[in-house]
Amino acid sequence: MYANIIIDIAHEKVDRTFQYLVPPQLEQVIAVGSQVKVPFGSGNANRTGYVLELTDQAEIAPEKIKMLSGIVENSVSVEQHFLALADWMHHQYGSTMIQCLKTVLPVRRHTRKKERRQVRLLLEADDVERQLTLYEKKRARARKRLIEALAAQPGMTLDYEAVTGQLRISASALRAMADEQVIAVESERAYRNPVSGDVNLRARFSQSFCLTGEQLKIVSEVLEEFDCKRPGVSLLHGITGSGKTAVYIELAEQMVKRGRQVIVLIPEIALTYQTVTRFCARFGDRVSILNSRMSEGERYDQFERAKSGQLDVMIGPRSALFTPFLKLGLIVIDEEHEATYKSETMPRYHARETAIERARMLGACVLLGSATPSVESYWKAMRGEYRLFRLNMRHGKASLPSVEVVDLRKELMMGNRSMFSASLRDAIEERLQKKEQMMLFLNRRGYAGILSCRQCGAVIGCPHCAVALSLHSDGRLHCHYCGYSTGGVKCCPTCGSAYIGTFKAGTQKIEEQVRREFANARVLRMDFDATRKKDSYQKILESFADGEADILVGTQMIVKGHDFPNVTLVGVLAADLSLAVSDYRAAERTFQLLEQAAGRAGRSDKAGQVIIQTYQPEHYAVTHAAAHDYEGFYEEEMNYRSLMGYPPAQHMLVIHAAAKEEYQAEQCMKWFARLIREQFPGLLGLGPAPESVAKVSDRYQWAFYLKDADQELLIRARSVLERALSSNSDYEGVSVQFDPDPM
Ligand code: ADP
Ligand code: ZN
Ligand code: ZN
């Protein structure tokens, strides 16, 4: 038996398989996906690798084939389909097979199992008081202390270390109490369970209502597809609060009833805390979560629990997609439009596309949900590739808020130079009087270095690419798509005004301004700086939810997913900022943010109001968001994408190069451009050009863009460049990334 093995070193040059002989005693144990030790190269250095294939066909003369030295102990054997998935990712996104494998198998090594001991209270609630009185009489103070502490715990358990440490209970006391059957000391091979066993959760978050007809229809149609073995992809377009999560939960439950497992992808745990809690309430300890703060070991544990059948549902960000469930039935992707679903490292896979591929391989369904679907997904739904469902109504008395767009140019003309328009100021005063809460939202995302006109609102853009130009340290404005650049712009190309400048504003400044103008208001601020400390994010949200402040000031963080029933006003301070980002998704992001911001107001029976301040009130992203008109927005946005050949109308491949010396990055990209011109004469290349942030951590960045309607052509171009690069030592100092359909 021979094993074709991929060697575990992240180097393009050995990204191929090598054949080894399997020792007879391992023939029964070795499997595709096993991690093995092999002698490698002329020096027979010890390396590890993965078995991609087992065969009886020798690829070279059998006497030249070395024998593999062993299977890595405790290594995870990969199901066949993970290998196939890695292979698909390799084809689709490039990078090396080994990196693709590492992505689908993010945890490969056993970390030492923690032996954990826990102290559990064995008394029923009624008996607790009696036992306390008894210990009181006996003056057994330590034992009383322990019972009180345990009774206060949601799961009635405490870690052994905490009991002997903080609570200062001696081991002999514990033994005596265990003999009395008051407590038990349990030890388990501890799979760390990140979901707290809070019993109150069930009561607080369980779904006690019946689904509406609309909701049930979605559930039953998806299930019907599944049951008829025609599982497909569905897009659920439902405004915030329309009951999407309720649908996910019901569908998940139906899948679990069918013996299938469910993966729920969410953009980020912290932002979707309430979604997570609702799942936990329904599925108890059959659900687990992954998050970015977990150690490798903790993730590994969760994957092990999934594999051994202890879990039905896994919730988490991108990487949760690779949960090794054996009978996957459904993948839900909540907030499917979020950019976090695209990996920032090689392979730069998109979780949505990869989920669809994984589901296809396993006969599972995919349900995408969003209040503002990505243009890509909606386009596919329009073309019939995805099934489209809609939920247009909010539950209960909640209705969509009224939206007012305020033209900041007019405020300026009237001499109002403050951050607050007259309307917004009145609205804030009114809320303060009524003791209702509000959120002030500053949309600041990568707008630094963008010039705009304060008179007419126009953003200085590239004449060729219809994206904003960005100001580089050389004092010139650059387009980072096509490389167009221009010197100083003295006056606005649209209206001729000389009032042009970069946007300057920050949440801190707004907070100060609010305090100055509304002296009696209680203000909380949440932005990246304010939340750098661990958990402070949750604390700020909780204290706002508890009514400890009237106004929450923040960046996009505050507009996502949180339910604050007492918030009746949302103010967007400068809606334009995200329009001015130098990439083709600027309008889409702005629309999404405005819609989400609007979704924060009026989530209970009190009517909500949204005020959007902008220099570009006529921009279609603003007007359609104000009218809650997704379809209208989509149509205009698709016109723009088709006209300019941006995704999804066409496909795009960005190639990033970073190097210590600028000429290296530049020359590498120019060489790529030459190769493309020679070998793919029909392919449109843009640039190469320095990137908008040209120098990141002391490395210069250049980019080169390819556009074409045919995705396979771009994939071929990428693999030609990858191969050329790996066999050319001139550019060893340049790190190159391939990014298909950039986010
Ligand atoms: P979304 O995920 O679309 O924002 P949710 O599922 O969170 O919507 O629902 C919004 C609110 O409406 C929640 O408080 C939920 O409990 C409630 N809700 C959803 N569906 C129903 C229903 N069928 N009957 C009553 N209340 C519902
Ligand atoms: Zn102007
Ligand atoms: Zn351009």
Side-chain angles (χ1 to χ4, degrees), residues 462 464-465 467 479 481-484:
C462 172
H464 311 295
C465 305
V467 296
C479 169
Y481 280 2
C482 71
Y484 169 87

